[in-house]
Amino acid sequence: MKAAPFAYVRPGTVADVVAELSRDGSKVIAGGQSLVPVLAMRLGRPTQLIDINAVPELGELSRDGGSLRVGAAVRQRQLQREEIAAAVPLARMALPWVGHREIRSRGTVCGSIAHADPSAELPAVAACLGATMVLRTGHGTRQVPAADFFTGALSTAIEPDELLSEVIFPVAKRGEGFGFGEFARRHGDFALAGVAVRVHTSEASVEARLTCFGVSDVPVTVDVSQQLRSALQRTGSDPSRADLLSALADHTPDVAGDVVDTVGDSHASPAYRRQLISALAAREVSRAYVSARLSESEECSR
């Protein structure tokens, strides 16, 4: 099937992009890895496509203090490879799971987040890190935290006349560690279930945040600090990863039971997804804790 007819424009400035977006039926295209299949199947019929690849400002990847700013036209492969992006380790851990290399070479970070597929990796990373989405129109700019951005399957807080011009990720701090894992039937497929984890340790305190995807209409973030502390009470504060994983495995089934609310599909039942989340959460929380402790000790030794 071919896409329905549409007009095509290629503005050179953000002002021109948002001006074009004010026309009814307009849609932004950058990498096209999500949008083009939608057009080809006629699940979407925009009257006009706005190609943003000629806007230099939207192709910028920059560090601003404690933040990494990712423009709307920045490719996923660029975020995976450029040294400046190492400041956001969780994104680097997740990107190899996004499709295949060819897809990442064209697909954009903002495009994946704006598409908001419930099984996609980058929306989960944004939710786990508490990223901020910058939305622009001809009337001004607003910033939306990730917790308010994803409103349903393939649905976000972006209004029809708004451009997701950049995503702001917080860079990793001392004492932070991360984990990411997912399970798919084949590499490159969307995940049946997956987790993104951030753990922060500071002397005797520990906090842990777990974001699950593929199990609900939106990425689901829960605080698992208490579960991690309970596991550490059994293992001590400096456990091997194997011991900590074993201790965490007693707690993660309850977490999985709370976060999985999908009714299931032809690929996996809710019960199977709970098992996946439980196993992935124990594995990645233990990984994140060990790396957080290492980060804390390395900073202290400098």
Side-chain angles (χ1 to χ4, degrees), residues 209-231:
R209 181 181 174 95
L210 171 73
T211 298
C212 304
F213 60 99
V215 298
S216 183
D217 286 348
V218 297
V220 183
T221 300
V222 291
D223 187 330
V224 292
S225 302
Q226 187 54 51
Q227 287 83 354
L228 178 54
R229 292 176 193 134
S230 297

Side-chain angles (χ1 to χ4, degrees), residues 119 183-185 190-194 213-215 265 267-268 272-273 276:
S119 297
F183 185 85
R185 298 181 70 184
F190 282 111
L192 296 181
F213 60 99
V215 298
D265 52 35
H267 302 295
Y272 183 48
R273 284 188 161 94
L276 292 175

Side-chain angles (χ1 to χ4, degrees), residues 126-142:
C128 186
L129 294 179
T132 300
M133 320 304 170
V134 181
L135 305 178
R136 296 173 67 167
T137 67
H139 308 295
T141 301
R142 68 183 177 120

Side-chain angles (χ1 to χ4, degrees), residues 63-74:
R63 176 81 179 265
D64 180 11
S67 302
L68 183 72
R69 308 180 78 98
V70 182
V74 172

